[in-house]
Amino acid sequence: MLEKFSKWKGNRSNHTTPSHSLDESAIPKHVAIIMDGNGRWAKKKGLPRIAGHREGMKVINKIVRKAIDLKIEVLSLYAFSTENWKRPRTEVDYLLKLPERFLKLELPNLMEENVQVRIMGGLDTLPEHTAKAVTKAMEETKDNTGLILNFALNYGSRYELVEAMKQVAKEVETGTLSSDAITEDVISRHLMTADLRDPDLLIRTSGEIRLSNFMLWQLAYSEFWFTDVLWPDFTEHHLTEAIAVYQKRARRYGGV
């Protein structure tokens, strides 16, 4: 039983993994990542938590470039959840400055690489400087046709589903939608990922084995890959390893 569980979880080591040969015809089109472990990385090194977040931001750049090389179509990154507001104020303030810093540094490169930036979450309750930075990035990259870099920022899946149900209910009330016509496709069209395919592969770092309110609807038939590697230590090789494991799995979507 333990052996089967270990195989399901994928890599549980903390060392850099070797290169893996990938089938270029079977690259997952949408990869979602729960970037976890910044605080623990900093604690292990005797540093403040914000040092871990700063280091974690640097990793995003490397993984985006690798995703482009692999021709992944969508990369969704869980950057800040609706639950993260419960953290200490100084940490929250720092976390909400990171999108602005990242985009200020990387927006020219993202434009050059034809990356389209999207934000999934509630922008209306973000600090003005954060909302302004991400809105600018979305506007400037909206016509790009390469990798879609989708940040989940101030995002919570239960909130997303509640808002989707409110929209559906309103359409039923106004008569533009019959209750009998509500299908999975109708609900999907009211989610924040309405025009994106569901993730093929979910990666979570740091050894935690849960979804933490991330894309609960969209991940119904995704493949999961967990690793003990903390996000600041996550490398292009780990991404490649996750995809190599993904390519060995048979996706049946509930079938035989």
Side-chain angles (χ1 to χ4, degrees), residues 8-20:
W8 175 73
K9 289 183 69 180
N11 176 53
R12 295 289 296 175
S13 65
N14 285 301
H15 59 76
T16 301
T17 56
S19 298
H20 291 266

Side-chain angles (χ1 to χ4, degrees), residues 77-195:
L77 303 177
Y78 205 5
F80 187 89
S81 75
T82 49
E83 290 75 31
N84 286 158
W85 292 102
K86 301 173 185 176
R87 295 186 178 188
R89 179 61 182 271
T90 54
E91 184 177 358
V92 169
D93 288 346
Y94 186 82
L95 282 169
L96 292 176
K97 289 176 181 175
L98 287 179
E100 182 180 5
R101 294 180 182 180
F102 174 80
L103 292 169
K104 184 177 180 179
L105 288 171
E106 295 299 330
L107 190 54
N109 294 326
L110 295 174
M111 286 295 296
E112 185 176 343
E113 295 287 352
N114 197 28
V115 173
Q116 182 183 131
V117 176
R118 296 196 190 184
I119 304 297
M120 177 175 70
L123 293 183
D124 53 338
T125 54
L126 289 175
E128 183 178 355
H129 62 86
T130 306
K132 184 177 179 180
V134 298
T135 300
K136 178 177 182 288
M138 287 191 290
E139 179 63 27
E140 292 193 13
T141 65
K142 66 180 181 180
D143 295 324
N144 290 350
T145 57
L147 172 74
I148 294 175
L149 178 56
N150 180 43
F151 287 105
L153 187 63
N154 194 23
Y155 171 85
S157 188
R158 288 186 174 183
Y159 169 78
E160 175 189 31
L161 288 167
V162 168
E163 290 303 302
M165 294 307 100
K166 287 180 181 178
Q167 294 173 36
V168 171
K170 186 174 182 179
E171 291 180 15
V172 172
E173 288 176 359
T174 58
T176 58
L177 178 69
S178 165
S179 60
D180 293 334
I182 299 174
T183 63
E184 290 185 11
D185 287 340
V186 169
I187 294 173
S188 292
R189 289 200 302 269
H190 288 79
L191 298 177
M192 296 176 183
T193 53
D195 61 340

Side-chain angles (χ1 to χ4, degrees), residues 28-35 59-68 72-78 115-118 120 146-152 196 199 201 203 214-215 231 234 239 243:
K29 291 180 169 57
H30 185 171
V31 176
I33 304 179
I34 300 176
M35 307 177 292
V59 175
I60 293 175
N61 182 32
K62 299 175 185 177
I63 299 307
V64 168
R65 291 181 182 278
K66 186 62 178 179
I68 293 170
I72 292 170
E73 294 179 6
V74 183
L75 180 64
S76 290
L77 303 177
Y78 205 5
V115 173
Q116 182 183 131
V117 176
R118 296 196 190 184
M120 177 175 70
L147 172 74
I148 294 175
L149 178 56
N150 180 43
F151 287 105
L196 298 177
L201 172 64
I203 297 169
F214 184 52
M215 300 178 85
W231 178 248
F234 193 80
L239 176 61
I243 294 173

